[in-house]
């Protein structure tokens, strides 16, 4: 039989009109983006003087709450007449059917849980609390027997009607989770988590002196091993096979405050393929290390290596084993990446001294979900226990879990401080698999039901956006729609001057451009940060499970995918469609259609031609640093003559390289697809063109002088960037005169050609002098955010970021 055709799903973004407070709300109202829901709150504090059982002479009391079809039960205390519970219960008011709230104090000592006393309230007499009013004070109430006669014993409690803004909402037992009992009740409540402060731990190993090898008849093959927690990093084997080896290498870790694990450094002697001997080790507590809070150099130091020598069965002696020369510190001038670069929610450095000023507040209302599928079976039928997780910056929020509902309603609102508009808030929907008694779920993970990303630069300040976002998950059998998520988003700006000032600053801390980390370093450090965050958040109560953290942080985004590779390439080609228009302009220059522009371009070409003949650059081609396995692969036959483990290693390495290339293409497509300079401010285009030409000339002069003085025999990349930018800018100016629609497609390309060229010149491989002045000037000049300022002015609708999940 032919396969069934998949139904035509609707993956579009829909505008909704929920009944939310919005601008009609009072200034003190916390619920402006969600529908207000009323709850009947009951706080049971404690009991006093409860009667004991006549048979046992003790009392094991607990309280049972009953209202309509809902029932809640407190904990049971053994052998006490004065128990203290301090528990809160919340009943959704629109689902209540009964008219009275009843309290039954029972004794678990008896076989039938005998009623010790009772108490009841009429719902019509319960007061309403309006936040930010202070909490309602609990009161003592006399208990009655089954006949309504007052007895010995009293119960302290408070009953009131409130909404989601009440302080008791996040700690209450909710009637929507009535099927959950025991300790698992805490896993249904809403919580706020904070990511730990992450630092780059940099260990720059310089040399070692006075090593004491185990075998003095052989030359030691020494390397340094650094261990932090479960992560082990090693340097290469020193070329100096003596007792004073040198390395001049650096290893980097990601460390989180508070620092639990020390750093263990050891010098190892490679005796054979699987045999290493420790020549000496040292334990360095991280809290004693110096923190670099500003871009300034850190001094080096010598640490003493020790070796434990056994003498007898129990006695161990510590001996001097040499010294290790290194530079070790906690670096706070970089931003520690824990998310993909194009979907970052925070771009600040670790050091608070480098933080920019706060520019506004992000408000997010998580309203409801619709059309969720069943993900597990309970009592012979499908069910779903859904909750949401939202992340922005260091703050994570988790909504309450709505049990057994395909259309859950959360109506919870959260706030974040905003320091940069070019950031993304991520919201994910998951199914809770940890609500069974005893957590006996067979080790299953919380499956994801979909994820939504919203970039703040696409939001108009002060406006409330209410949309229904499709929850889409890519599965092995194809794309599947898991439902829809209703959100309300608002970005409020405190100061417009500070907002526009952010577009004049670099996107990342300046050290990312002055001394950039390599792609491999960033990839490794990001995985370390993800592992650290998942470990720390998994130790919270209740924990945020590892699979949720990894999904929100897109841990596997750098894995090779042919689908994502084709999609990113098509995005780049679509964004570069203006090259055809550029070719037409170049053809006009060749045929002297505009003599002034032709003369200017030819003059620039003559001035900026290479001053040295090209030759083989062994450093640029990596011919000097090629490893044995790389050369073996290069000179291998085609088809390959290798088999087994060697072929598998090459394939995995190729997949890793292809995955990183795919991410770089996706980042490029994301940047050049933003229409960098299509500003609607009158006169801004002319100002930009004039500023671009003047700055290009200045940059070319400075870069040319630096290269001439240092005799750099490499291609003039800054000059190429200047020439490309100037040509595109001049073409854009000419296009402005003839057509108003051509300019926006040229300026993004000019900006990204210059930006890419600057990144190449600032890379250690492409630049002969990493500290040259033209690199920092290029960075300061070009690494600004023109590519989002037009979104602020055009009053655009919020766009759902395509995560290619």
């Amino acid at each position: 039989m032919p396969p069934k055709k998949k139904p035509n799903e609707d993956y579009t973004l829909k505008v909704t009109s929920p009944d939310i407070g919005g601008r009609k709300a009072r200034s003190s109202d916390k619920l402006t983006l969600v529908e207000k829901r009323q709850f009947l709150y009951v706080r049971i504090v404690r009991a006093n003087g409860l009667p004991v059982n006549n048979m046992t002479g003790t009392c094991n009391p607990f309280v049972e709450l009953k209202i309509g079809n809902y029932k809640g039960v407190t904990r049971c205390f053994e052998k006490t007449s004065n128990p203290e519970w301090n528990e809160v219960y919340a009943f959704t008011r629109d689902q209540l059917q009964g008219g009275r709230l009843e309290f039954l104090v029972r004794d678990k000592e008896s076989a039938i849980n005998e009623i010790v006393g009772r108490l009841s309230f009429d719902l019509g007499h319960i007061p309403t609390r309006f936040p930010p009013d202070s909490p309602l004070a609990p009161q003592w109430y006399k208990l009655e027997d089954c006949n309504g006669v007052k007895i010995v014993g009293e119960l302290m409690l408070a009953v009131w009607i409130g909404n989601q803004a009440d302080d008791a909402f996040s700690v209450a037992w909710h009637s929507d989770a009535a099927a959950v009992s025991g300790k698992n009740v805490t896993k249904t409540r809403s919580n706020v988590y904070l990511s730990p402060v992450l630092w780059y731990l940099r260990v720059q190993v310089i040399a070692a002196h006075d090593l004491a090898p185990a075998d003095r008849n052989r030359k030691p093959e020494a390397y340094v091993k650094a261990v932090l927690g479960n992560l082990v990093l090693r340097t290469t084997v020193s070329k100096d096979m003596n007792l004073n080896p040198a390395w001049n290498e650096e290893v980097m870790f990601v460390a989180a405050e508070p620092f639990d694990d020390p750093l263990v450094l050891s010098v190892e002697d490679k005796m054979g393929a699987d045999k290493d001997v420790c020549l000496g080790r040292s334990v360095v507590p991280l809290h004693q290390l110096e923190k670099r809070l500003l871009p300034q150099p850190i001094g080096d130091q010598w640490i003493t290596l020790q070796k434990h020598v056994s003498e007898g069965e129990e006695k161990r002696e510590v001996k001097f084993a040499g010294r290790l020369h290194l530079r070790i510190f906690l670096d706070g001038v970089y931003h520690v990446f824990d998310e993909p670069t194009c979907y970052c929610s925070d771009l600040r450095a670790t050091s608070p001294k480098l933080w920019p000023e706060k520019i506004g507040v992000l408000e997010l209302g998580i309203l409801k979900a619709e059309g969720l599928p069943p993900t597990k079976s309970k009592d012979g039928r499908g069910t779903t226990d859904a909750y949401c997780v939202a992340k922005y910056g260091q703050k994570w929020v988790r909504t309450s879990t709505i049990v057994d509902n395909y259309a859950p309603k959360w109506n919870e609102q959260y706030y974040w401080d905003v320091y940069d508009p070019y950031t993304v808030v991520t919201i994910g929907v998951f199914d809770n698999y940890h609500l069974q008694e005893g957590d006996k779920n067979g080790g299953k993970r919380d499956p994801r039901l979909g994820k939504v990303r919203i970039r703040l630069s696409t939001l108009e300040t002060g406006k409330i956006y209410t949309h229904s976002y499709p929850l889409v998950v890519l599965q092995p059998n194809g794309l599947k729609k898991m439902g829809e998520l209703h959100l309300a988003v608002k970005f409020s700006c405190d100061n417009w001057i500070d907002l526009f000032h952010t577009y004049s600053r670099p996107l990342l801390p300046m050290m990312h451009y002055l001394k950039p980390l390599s792609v491999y370093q960033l990839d490794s450090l990001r995985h370390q940060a993800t592992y650290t965050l998942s470990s720390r958040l998994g130790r919270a109560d209740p924990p945020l499970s590892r699979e949720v953290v990894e999904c929100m942080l897109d841990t596997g985004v750098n894995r090779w995918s042919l689908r994502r590779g084709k999609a990113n390439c098509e995005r780049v080609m679509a964004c570069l469609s203006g090259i055809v228009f550029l070719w037409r302009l170049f053809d006009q220059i060749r045929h002297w259609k505009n003599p002034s522009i032709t003369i200017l371009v030819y003059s620039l070409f003559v001035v900026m031609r290479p001053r040295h003949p090209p030759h083989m650059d062994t450093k640029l081609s990596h011919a000097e640093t090629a490893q044995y396995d790389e050369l073996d692969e290069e000179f291998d036959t085609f088809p390959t003559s290798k088999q087994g483990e060697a072929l598998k290693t090459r394939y995995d390495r190729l997949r890793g390289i292809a995955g990183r290339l795919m991410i770089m293409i996706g980042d490029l497509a994301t940047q050049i697809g933003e229409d960098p300079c299509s500003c609607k401010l009158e006169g801004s285009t002319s100002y930009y063109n004039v500023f671009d030409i003047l700055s290009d000339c200045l940059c070319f002069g400075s870069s040319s002088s630096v290269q001439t003085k240092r005799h750099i025999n490499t291609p003039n990349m800054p000059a190429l960037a200047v020439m490309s930018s100037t040509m595109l800018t001049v073409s854009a100016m000419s296009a402005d005169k003839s057509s108003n629609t051509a300019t926006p497609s040229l300026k993004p390309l000019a900006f990204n050609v210059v930006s890419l060229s600057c990144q190449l010149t600032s890379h250690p491989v492409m630049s002969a002098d990493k500290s040259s002045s033209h690199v920092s000037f290029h960075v300061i000049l070009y690494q600004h955010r023109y590519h989002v300022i037009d979104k602020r002015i055009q009053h655009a609708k919020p766009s759902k970021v395509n995560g290619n999940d």
Side-chain angles (χ1 to χ4, degrees), residues 691-767:
F691 177 77
D692 192 20
I693 294 177
L694 294 178
S695 61
D696 288 346
C697 296
L698 185 59
C699 286
F700 170 72
S702 62
S703 62
S704 299
S705 62
V706 171
Q707 291 191 0
T708 303
K709 292 179 181 179
R710 297 184 179 273
H711 303 287
I712 299 177
N713 296 325
T714 55
N716 196 336
M717 295 299 295
L720 176 61
V722 171
M723 182 178 67
S724 303
S725 176
T726 305
M727 291 180 60
L728 295 176
T729 305
V730 171
S731 303
M733 293 174 63
S734 62
D736 279 339
K737 299 179 181 179
S738 59
S739 174
N740 294 328
T741 60
T743 305
S745 62
L746 292 176
K747 294 174 184 176
L749 185 59
F751 173 81
N752 286 282
V753 167
V754 176
S755 227
L756 183 60
S757 302
C758 294
Q759 293 179 12
L760 290 175
T761 56
S762 63
H763 196 275
V765 176
M766 298 296 294
S767 178

Side-chain angles (χ1 to χ4, degrees), residues 288-429:
Q288 298 179 0
L289 297 180
E290 183 178 358
K291 295 181 179 179
R292 184 164 77 159
L293 303 179
L294 294 174
Q296 56 190 11
I298 301 295
D300 54 350
Q301 57 181 314
W302 290 86
I303 63 174
T304 302
L305 299 175
Q306 297 178 344
K307 187 174 183 180
H308 295 271
V309 179
S310 300
E311 294 184 0
E313 297 181 356
E314 299 181 356
K315 187 177 179 180
R316 295 175 63 87
E317 183 181 357
V318 178
K319 290 187 176 181
F320 174 79
R323 296 183 302 163
L324 187 61
H325 188 198
L326 48 78
R327 185 179 294 106
I328 178 173
F329 58 95
L330 294 167
D331 202 346
V333 299
Y334 288 85
H335 168 68
V336 180
F337 285 97
D338 57 354
E339 301 168 293
T341 54
C342 54
Y343 302 134
C344 279
S345 61
D346 188 8
L347 300 170
R348 295 174 295 170
T350 302
S351 173
K353 295 184 178 181
L354 301 179
W355 288 3
E357 295 292 333
K358 169 187 166 184
I359 62 172
V361 176
L362 170 65
E363 303 176 48
L364 174 65
I366 304 177
L367 303 178
K368 61 180 179 179
E370 293 180 344
L372 299 182
T375 58
K376 55 180 176 290
S377 165
K378 182 180 179 181
D379 298 333
R381 60 182 181 84
T383 181
T384 299
D385 307 325
Y387 66 93
C388 289
V389 175
K391 181 190 183 299
Y392 184 80
Q394 293 183 334
K395 181 179 176 181
W396 301 63
V397 298
R398 172 175 174 168
T399 66
S400 57
T401 299
I402 308 300
V403 179
D404 195 10
N405 199 326
Y406 298 148
K409 293 183 179 180
W410 294 285
N411 285 299
E412 299 181 22
Q413 185 170 342
Y414 300 95
Y415 302 82
W416 287 270
D417 290 335
V418 178
Y419 295 87
D420 195 308
Y422 197 68
T423 46
V424 176
V425 57
T426 304
I427 306 100
V429 183

